[in-house]
Amino acid sequence: MKIVIDTDPGQDDAVAILLALASPEIEVLGLTAVAGNVPLELTARNARIVCELANRRDIPVFAGASRPLLRPLVTAEHVHGRTGLDGPDLPDPTMALQDAHAVDFLIDTLRREPAGTVTLVPIGPLTNIALALRLAPDIAPRIARIVLMGGAYFEVGNITPTAEFNIYVDPEAAAAVFGAGVPLTVLPLDATHKALVTRPRAEAFAALGTPVGRAVAQMTSFSERFDLAKYGSDGAPLHDPCTVAWLLAPELFSGREVNVAVETASPLTLGMTVADWWGVTDRAPNALFIGDLDADGFFSLLTERLGRLPA
Ligand code: RIB
Ligand code: CA
């Protein structure tokens, strides 16, 4: 399957990208960077660092939106560090950024590839995806599926009491994506908070004995500081790779086709994803909202695939 990953690396984004690059079932057509965890200049830099870590300088990387559609940018250096990829000591990228804007790449790719053959995997704020849909509404029916990390319902929020970070940063963009009528799979905190990098799982990354294994162990141990202090759990959630894992092994996940609406007005609940899990409204289902996963199966798949990347 052909995918484009829209990303704001971020250590967990990096692991998602590595999983995709390690999996022969997936052809990564390109990475589109968006401002989120850290500003755009850094997310575009980090995306290239990850490609070079995987020895995949052939992957085109594009810079996209430097801020949300309407609101000022909110970043998350408190989780990901100043660079957004703190933890491992990785060299600056030598591969160039593509000249085209990420949104133009998204539009051109979806118009060029046969309809229904490209899946979009957004794992940051949805600004680039919303801009592409607004600039070129004709691409909507050509998208096979959008598989995104974002939102929360039973698990509540992580950046505010009610909102998950990716949705909160650009709620208007999220509302546009959820309302676009494109087949949608949502990996919310309800699922990703069950994908915890426990000590044995982190040790399994390091035990790969490869630069990728070592880097992933260092990335996940860096970004866990914030989550352990906050949640007191026995490991930090590994959010973004759940999207790629769902593409590879959907049987590891369970969810429900429900209506999901995004709060864009209330200062109290801005960015909340309101999932009608019990079908109490007449709002039509618009997303497969994932509520659970087989965490051991997820980490086994992830670790095995990371082990395939070059030593
Ligand atoms: O809330 C988790 C999401 O926000 C992840 O995508 C993480 O990388 C950050 O972007
Ligand atoms: Ca992300």
Side-chain angles (χ1 to χ4, degrees):
M1 75 192 81
K2 296 176 182 177
I3 73 170
V4 176
I5 301 176
D6 189 73
T7 181
D8 64 335
Q11 290 87 352
D12 61 322
D13 300 68
V15 182
I17 294 164
L18 291 168
L19 176 58
L21 295 177
S23 298
E25 306 93 322
I26 291 176
E27 179 185 359
V28 178
L29 298 179
L31 303 183
T32 50
V34 66
N37 284 319
V38 286
L40 177 66
E41 183 182 350
L42 284 172
T43 59
R45 169 186 177 273
N46 294 342
R48 286 175 286 155
I49 287 175
V50 177
C51 288
E52 294 191 342
L53 174 61
N55 200 19
R56 290 297 306 276
R57 297 166 51 85
D58 59 300
I59 301 290
V61 178
F62 302 81
S66 59
R67 52 159 296 178
L69 296 181
L70 299 180
R71 300 170 189 274
L73 177 63
V74 173
T75 53
E77 287 88 349
H78 60 291
V79 178
H80 300 275
R82 184 190 60 76
T83 72
L85 213 50
D86 286 21
D89 181 16
L90 297 172
D92 287 337
T94 58
M95 64 188 278
L97 202 54
Q98 298 296 310
D99 292 336
H101 191 283
V103 173
D104 291 328
F105 170 72
L106 286 163
I107 295 168
D108 295 346
T109 300
L110 287 161
R111 286 176 171 165
R112 180 188 69 244
E113 297 292 332
T117 63
V118 177
T119 296
L120 302 184
V121 183
I123 50 178
L126 291 162
T127 315
N128 287 341
I129 311 301
L131 283 171
L133 288 165
R134 181 175 293 177
L135 270 173
D138 60 287
I139 66 173
R142 303 183 63 84
I143 303 169
R145 178 169 286 268
I146 294 174
V147 182
L148 69 85
M149 191 279 139
Y153 187 59
F154 293 104
E155 187 65 15
V156 297
N158 61 0
I159 187 78
T160 75
T162 57
E164 177 278 328
F165 179 80
N166 288 340
I167 308 299
Y168 178 74
V169 170
D170 199 338
E172 285 76 17
V177 171
F178 279 74
V182 175
L184 182 58
T185 300
V186 178
L187 280 297
L189 299 180
D190 303 58
T192 68
H193 273 193
K194 296 168 183 167
L196 300 180
V197 184
T198 59
R199 190 58 34 221
R201 290 165 177 166
E203 287 165 358
F205 293 145
L208 290 172
T210 61
V212 167
R214 282 191 294 276
V216 167
Q218 291 164 344
M219 285 182 203
T220 52
S221 62
F222 177 88
S223 57
E224 77 173 5
R225 310 156 10 270
F226 171 79
D227 289 295
L228 296 188
K230 178 175 179 180
Y231 298 108
S233 48
D234 62 353
L238 196 51
H239 305 285
D240 292 338
C242 290
T243 56
V244 177
W246 183 84
L247 284 171
L248 293 169
E251 68 279 4
L252 294 176
F253 299 81
S254 63
R256 189 179 289 187
E257 288 283 351
V258 296
N259 179 270
V260 181
V262 180
E263 177 60 64
T264 57
S266 159
L268 181 62
T269 58
L270 183 69
M272 181 175 182
T273 48
V274 182
D276 185 8
W277 188 261
W278 304 111
V280 298
T281 75
D282 59 0
R283 296 196 291 261
N286 60 341
L288 174 60
F289 197 80
I290 301 295
D292 203 358
L293 83 161
D294 167 0
D296 287 333
F298 166 67
F299 279 97
S300 297
L301 170 68
L302 173 60
T303 307
E304 188 276 325
R305 291 299 170 95
L306 292 176
R308 299 188 189 190
L309 288 171

